[in-house]
Amino acid sequence: MLAVSAWHKPLLHVIWTCFLAVLLSTLVQTQFNLLALQQLGVTIPFSERLATSLHDVRHFAPVYAAIFSCSYLVSQGIALWLSRWVAGRWQPALFALAAASGLWCTLMLVNALAPMPTLIAASRSLMGLLSLLLIAALAGAIFARALQPLPSARPQRALDASALVVLLPLLLSAGLVSPPAMATKSEYRVETLVKGLEHPWSVAFLSGGAMLVTERPGRLRLIHIDGRLEPEPIAGLPAVFASGQAGLFDVLPAPDFAQSQRIFLSYACGRMRANHTCLASARLDLSQLELTDVTEIFRTYPAKTGNAHYGGRLAFLDDGSLALSLGDGFDYREEAQRLSSHLGSIVRLWPDGSVPEDNPFVGQPGALAEIYSYGHRNVQGLVYDSATKQLLSHEHGPKGGDELNRIEPGVNFGWPVVTQGIDYTGARITPFTAYQGMQPPLLDWTPSIAPSGLTLYQGDLFPGWQGDLLVGALAGRQLQRVRLTGQGAEIVEVLLAELAERIRDVRTGPDGALYVLTDDGRGRLLRVTPALDGAGAKVH
């Protein structure tokens, strides 16, 4: 009982001050997120503000508690140990400084380890970060005041208490439950054409039967008509910024490639603290395996920091113009609602980089003329249906809220004012799943499948798939067949789930087969064709 009485008081104080800090930080986080929307001109009724605050207390607070408690318990344990040499009146400052420093270090560590640049959205701004640190400091100061006078005659007790506080995070645990993978009866066969590709991103077909594949680290590879991978990458690529999600993205031959030998490449350019999505045009010399006449024809504005959310898909429209999808840069999600920024938009250009005069915002003051549609998060699927004159795209949502959209010029697709998803921390990004003047999706995926790669099937090998969309899934590790239904769309079938591999790209080949890239350090190019029965006939 004596041993317990030596440490139970500081332990109880650290628990309730930790709880107080988590609650206050959650409410502050919510208000900063809502303030960012208000600065876009969005009206947020008090009822929605209250509902969002309560949602975040329930869903964000446990995540933040795990992060904060680790930093707080360790920092306050260290402060308890140091308090033996600090005068009583300075102890609140010591504990406050320890708590704020511990949280700052923890947030920096989490951001370095997490796949996204900034995990806690409020800390994207200096004021938001300072607010969280001040709350941590307040909790530390209150903790110190609650302990005074600290036991000076028994310094070992303070040391015992600090050790227990530091070890307490080991008692915390969390579990994540993943939904079971969807299964479907296989009536197709899969063969590996090429393996050993380093995070392949895009595949394109050349006249004559050869293929090009991009690798995200910054290599363009040639696959010969016989399926043989050329050992050396094609030379002459522009400088690529490769880090995290940044790298070499799409490759698209010009419609007249047989005559012009021209291709288009999208890629990340710049450096960690100032980078862009860029688009270049080049001539491909197959005899020398090099690019010549390489010209950058587009670069996003403004520059951004970090290495996430670039978009990068390309598609030609029937008038010869070129559409390029872009991302919001993750930390810059509000930019998707600003026409003065390319982030979070789809742009439309002529192949020389000039702007079509009928783009929707040409001549509008303060708007970038290249923008074709906006309010997107991270568009990684883009295809043009020449039969229906439709440009279709899909984009990543956060935790849920992936979208399939029919793109129309000048239309606002809502992000981040509207989404079906929530942040990775469980916090609400917005109170709204619909908002006046913003286009709803044809289909949304919640939970997220992380869609990447999109093709419109128009081949002969799978007659029942004519006009359907094939959607790759990174997190979902599958391929989904989707059918447009008037004003919406529906999932018809799940394919390739048995492979349990991240799907980065999917294309319809000239032979009617599906060509699929898996996203891995040793990724593969797969060919999907109808299954054969025992007599060698196709199974339908």
Side-chain angles (χ1 to χ4, degrees):
M1 290 300 294
L2 289 176
V4 172
S5 64
W7 56 262
H8 81 279
K9 181 179 178 181
L11 183 58
L12 291 175
H13 287 322
V14 83
I15 290 174
W16 77 260
T17 54
C18 179
F19 176 83
L20 176 65
V22 169
L23 180 61
L24 291 176
S25 297
T26 297
L27 296 176
V28 165
Q29 148 88 7
T30 302
Q31 304 319 307
F32 269 97
N33 284 346
L34 296 180
L35 177 61
L37 297 178
Q38 286 180 291
Q39 290 173 340
L40 295 172
V42 176
T43 301
I44 302 175
F46 176 77
S47 59
E48 295 291 356
R49 184 179 297 275
L50 179 61
T52 300
S53 299
L54 293 175
H55 174 278
D56 287 358
V57 167
R58 181 180 178 184
H59 297 281
F60 170 79
V63 175
Y64 189 73
I67 296 170
F68 180 81
S69 62
C70 290
S71 71
Y72 187 63
L73 294 170
V74 171
S75 68
Q76 298 308 281
I78 294 172
L80 271 171
W81 181 71
L82 292 174
S83 67
R84 296 180 298 171
W85 297 284
V86 177
R89 64 177 181 175
W90 293 105
Q91 286 178 358
L94 169 66
F95 281 77
L97 178 62
S101 300
L103 179 60
W104 184 82
C105 292
T106 301
L107 290 178
M108 295 304 103
L109 179 63
V110 167
N111 290 341
L113 297 177
M116 62 288 295
T118 304
L119 181 63
I120 308 300
S123 65
R124 293 178 299 155
S125 69
L126 178 60
M127 288 302 298
L129 176 60
L130 288 177
S131 297
L132 296 177
L133 297 181
L134 285 173
I135 292 172
L138 175 64
I142 294 174
F143 175 55
R145 287 291 187 186
L147 289 180
Q148 288 182 341
L150 291 176
S152 56
R154 294 290 302 276
Q156 185 62 39
R157 289 187 178 181
L159 184 59
D160 292 342
S162 65
L164 285 167
V165 169
V166 169
L167 292 174
L168 191 59
L170 297 178
L171 302 176
L172 303 175
S173 62
L176 296 177
V177 180
S178 299
M182 296 178 67
T184 185
K185 182 180 179 180
S186 297
E187 294 186 349
Y188 50 84
R189 59 175 180 160
V190 180
E191 58 180 314
T192 300
L193 296 183
V194 177
K195 57 185 178 180
L197 298 167
E198 186 175 2
H199 293 288
W201 212 92
S202 174
V203 59
F205 302 94
L206 301 175
S207 53
M211 288 178 278
L212 296 174
V213 172
T214 60
E215 292 177 307
R216 196 177 65 211
R219 291 182 291 272
L220 181 61
R221 310 297 298 275
L222 175 67
I223 300 174
H224 294 275
I225 190 171
D226 59 2
R228 177 174 52 90
L229 176 67
E230 182 66 33
E232 295 299 320
I234 293 170
L237 265 70
V240 172
F241 168 59
S243 173
Q245 296 176 8
L248 181 61
F249 305 131
D250 216 350
V251 56
L252 184 64
D256 65 345
F257 175 81
Q259 294 75 40
S260 69
Q261 304 298 297
R262 189 157 294 278
I263 64 171
F264 296 85
L265 294 165
S266 61
Y267 55 99
C269 59
R271 60 189 189 280
M272 181 64 77
R273 291 194 172 275
N275 57 78
H276 317 256
T277 301
C278 287
L279 176 62
S281 168
R283 289 178 59 86
L284 174 59
D285 186 341
L286 287 173
S287 63
Q288 299 297 318
L289 289 178
E290 68 175 351
L291 300 181
T292 62
D293 189 24
V294 179
T295 305
E296 181 186 301
I297 61 172
F298 174 76
R299 174 179 292 225
T300 54
Y301 173 86
K304 68 175 187 63
T305 299
N307 55 7
H309 288 198
Y310 293 87
R313 290 293 180 189
L314 295 166
F316 275 105
L317 280 60
D318 59 358
D319 62 357
S321 62
L322 182 61
L324 166 65
S325 72
L326 302 171
D328 66 349
F330 193 90
D331 278 352
Y332 305 85
R333 62 195 187 202
E334 290 79 19
E335 293 295 296
Q337 287 295 316
R338 297 188 174 106
L339 294 174
S340 58
S341 171
H342 290 122
L343 299 180
S345 72
I346 293 175
V347 298
R348 174 173 170 253
L349 310 161
W350 291 121
D352 62 0
S354 61
V355 177
E357 293 183 0
D358 59 346
N359 266 8
F361 302 109
V362 169
Q364 179 171 319
L368 296 172
E370 297 90 351
I371 294 176
Y372 192 64
S373 66
Y374 65 109
H376 301 289
R377 186 170 183 266
N378 190 24
V379 181
Q380 290 200 354
L382 196 64
V383 66
Y384 184 73
D385 182 354
S386 56
T388 60
K389 312 297 184 185
Q390 293 183 116
L391 181 63
L392 300 163
S393 77
H394 63 54
E395 63 187 78
H396 288 247
K399 194 175 181 181
D402 302 337
E403 295 182 359
L404 175 67
N405 288 303
R406 181 184 290 113
I407 302 302
E408 299 175 12
V411 170
N412 181 353
F413 286 87
W415 174 258
V417 178
V418 173
T419 181
Q420 297 286 341
I422 58 174
D423 212 342
Y424 299 104
T425 59
R428 268 191 181 178
I429 293 165
T430 173
F432 306 110
T433 56
Y435 198 83
Q436 185 176 3
M438 298 180 181
Q439 184 73 15
L442 299 174
L443 175 69
D444 76 86
W445 290 270
T446 300
S448 172
I449 64 168
S452 187
L454 178 67
T455 190
L456 178 71
Y457 189 78
Q458 294 175 319
D460 297 326
L461 292 185
F462 295 95
W465 295 6
Q466 280 292 332
D468 288 349
L469 298 169
L470 281 301
V471 178
L474 294 165
R477 296 176 181 265
Q478 60 191 227
L479 194 65
Q480 292 192 1
R481 182 158 65 93
V482 175
R483 181 163 296 161
L484 299 178
T485 57
Q487 298 304 309
E490 62 181 6
I491 300 168
V492 177
E493 186 179 9
V494 171
L495 312 165
L496 304 187
E498 70 278 5
L499 301 180
E501 295 187 61
R502 288 163 53 90
I503 305 300
R504 173 59 74 178
D505 197 17
V506 54
R507 306 285 173 138
T508 306
D511 58 355
L514 286 183
Y515 290 78
V516 175
L517 288 175
T518 65
D519 180 39
D520 189 78
R522 293 187 60 80
R524 299 189 291 162
L525 174 63
L526 309 175
R527 183 172 181 263
V528 181
T529 54
L532 302 177
D533 61 18
K538 290 191 295 183
V539 177
H540 295 295

